[in-house]
Amino acid sequence: MKVRIPRRALADATSWSASHLAAKPTVPARAGLLLEAGDDHLTVAGVDWGVTTHSTLAADILEPGRIVISGRLAAQVIATYRSDLIDITVDGGRATLSADRDRFMLTLLPEADYPAIAGRPAPDGTVDGAEFAEAVRQAVVATDPTVVAEPWRGGVQLTADGDRLTVWATDRYRMAERSIAWTPAAVGQDSIGALVPARSLADAVKGMAPTGDLGLTLNGKTAGLGDAARYTTLSRIDEYGRKDPHQFIPAEFVTEAIVPVDQLVAATKRACLVATDRKPKILVGFGTDEISVRAAGEDTGAVAMDVVDGQHLDGPAIQMAFLPANLLDGLQAIGTDNVRIGLTSNVKPALLHAVDDDSDYRYLVMPVRL
């Protein structure tokens, strides 16, 4: 194999694929990247147990071929070069990466041990890439991948219905949700969806083009997404045991308020400095003419109290206790200057809603006992 390719494109592709590889795979070949040269392009592919990645790069192919090289090492080396072009040549059991006068030789991994990589299927529909990336960022804050017995807590649900794609997640104690425009591939398409690992999804989105459309595949044994040059597949997560958190969103609220996000974030962070015991909580009071944030440290005896400029829209005064991290995650993901907060009682979930015509993001968070 003999290939000449722009260094930047190769560096981006190898770095993206290598980031999905297992650090200590049980099969050595799974630590590798598959490079296949043919016609006028080079493909870079990687595979782990739950994720596959595939990039197609324009290149000068002097001799076609197919090799497997150490993924993380190759990505690190290519990233350090500063030349415009890189030459890849294979001689016997070694691949040489040449950048100007610099040379780096890699021992090839056994190609026979490398798992098969499925082809790219036709997408079920498309979304705007920038909107999808933002929706994923906003949803992953409500995930918790540490609960191995309930893997759905670490997943993001993608559901396409009509002309909307809903992206949502829950870890049982909160839910984050955003919907964006969806263009189905077929007229009259039924509702389709997939629950996929949040971290793998977020990493995959980072490797896609920042603008333009993304194609999503939500049918089949795996889910997939890709732009014009890259494609990745994600394993599905079993939804068993997950309760639909949408049932906890009331048709109407008893008390509502609109609050500046930056002020509420700042007040919550100051309260966190006080609420440093083993079970920290902050108290948010929605009065008739003010919104207050309080915390008391059981260990230190310190007390913090802030009054936030907000607009109490309607309803009686309610005081609620939250885990500060859960409240902050929703506020920092909301992406608007103001947040609308709806309450029914101090023991039922609060709903944070973006105050923006361009976003329907909402974040449902459970309170804790006072």
Side-chain angles (χ1 to χ4, degrees):
M1 186 172 89
K2 186 178 293 186
V3 175
R4 174 166 289 180
I5 186 169
R7 183 201 62 84
R8 182 61 180 272
L10 183 61
D12 289 345
T14 54
S15 176
W16 178 63
S17 286
S19 68
H20 291 82
L21 299 177
K24 296 181 179 179
T26 55
V27 180
R30 287 183 178 269
L33 294 178
L34 175 65
L35 274 58
E36 186 169 7
D39 296 330
D40 57 354
H41 65 271
L42 175 74
T43 60
V44 178
V47 60
D48 194 10
W49 295 109
V51 181
T52 66
T53 58
H54 188 281
S55 300
T56 303
L57 311 175
D60 292 331
I61 309 301
L62 305 178
E63 292 181 11
R66 176 184 169 100
I67 59 173
V68 178
I69 58 176
S70 176
R72 294 180 185 273
L73 181 57
Q76 291 170 353
V77 170
I78 295 168
T80 63
Y81 286 148
R82 291 294 177 264
S83 62
D84 293 333
L85 298 172
I86 283 185
D87 290 315
I88 304 173
T89 57
V90 177
D91 183 11
R94 286 185 175 181
T96 300
L97 306 179
S98 305
D100 292 333
R101 292 177 295 178
D102 299 320
R103 303 286 187 273
F104 192 88
M105 289 180 287
L106 290 165
T107 300
L108 301 182
L109 298 177
E111 184 187 335
D113 297 339
Y114 204 77
I117 297 179
R120 179 172 181 168
D124 295 315
T126 58
V127 293
D128 179 82
E131 285 191 345
F132 183 70
E134 178 69 2
V136 170
R137 182 193 69 82
Q138 292 176 314
V140 295
V141 299
T143 62
D144 181 6
T146 64
V147 186
V148 179
E150 295 179 319
W152 53 265
R153 293 195 188 190
V156 171
Q157 177 72 47
L158 307 174
T159 302
D161 190 5
D163 62 354
R164 305 296 293 179
L165 176 77
T166 302
V167 183
W168 66 274
T170 181
D171 65 356
R172 179 173 285 172
Y173 303 107
R174 53 196 175 156
M175 181 195 75
E177 179 182 68
R178 168 90 181 270
S179 72
I180 61 176
W182 164 261
T183 304
V187 177
Q189 183 184 77
D190 294 334
S191 176
I192 53 176
L195 178 64
V196 298
R199 181 175 179 179
S200 297
L201 176 63
D203 288 344
V205 170
K206 290 178 182 178
M208 301 296 166
T211 59
D213 289 341
L214 283 181
L216 300 184
T217 304
L218 303 179
N219 277 318
K221 294 182 179 180
T222 60
L225 68 151
D227 57 20
R230 295 184 180 179
Y231 181 75
T232 184
T233 63
L234 305 172
S235 62
R236 289 174 175 265
I237 296 178
D238 190 352
E239 302 173 21
Y240 178 77
R242 185 184 69 180
K243 294 182 179 179
D244 188 353
H246 294 85
Q247 63 182 302
F248 300 111
I249 300 177
E252 58 183 23
F253 298 99
V254 173
T255 297
E256 288 189 273
I258 292 179
V259 186
V261 172
D262 58 348
Q263 291 189 33
L264 187 52
V265 166
T268 302
K269 287 183 176 180
R270 283 192 291 271
C272 288
L273 300 176
V274 172
T276 56
D277 51 41
R278 289 179 298 173
K279 295 182 179 180
K281 61 185 177 183
I282 60 171
L283 306 181
V284 182
F286 298 86
T288 55
D289 56 1
E290 66 182 23
I291 291 92
S292 63
V293 180
R294 294 187 294 129
E298 296 179 4
D299 297 339
T300 63
V303 176
M305 180 171 179
D306 280 286
V307 176
V308 178
D309 294 332
Q311 181 183 1
H312 188 96
L313 300 181
D314 192 19
I318 293 180
Q319 179 175 262
M320 300 185 71
F322 297 100
L323 295 176
N326 285 0
L327 181 60
L328 278 174
D329 284 345
L331 290 171
Q332 292 173 329
I334 208 160
T336 56
D337 293 336
N338 296 294
V339 57
R340 188 180 186 115
I341 303 176
L343 313 167
T344 53
S345 78
N346 62 358
V347 295
K348 293 185 178 181
L351 184 68
L352 282 61
H353 199 289
V355 182
D356 189 339
D357 293 338
D358 296 328
S359 174
D360 62 356
Y361 180 68
R362 53 186 183 174
Y363 182 84
L364 189 72
V365 56
M366 288 289 295
V368 293
R369 293 183 179 181
L370 293 171

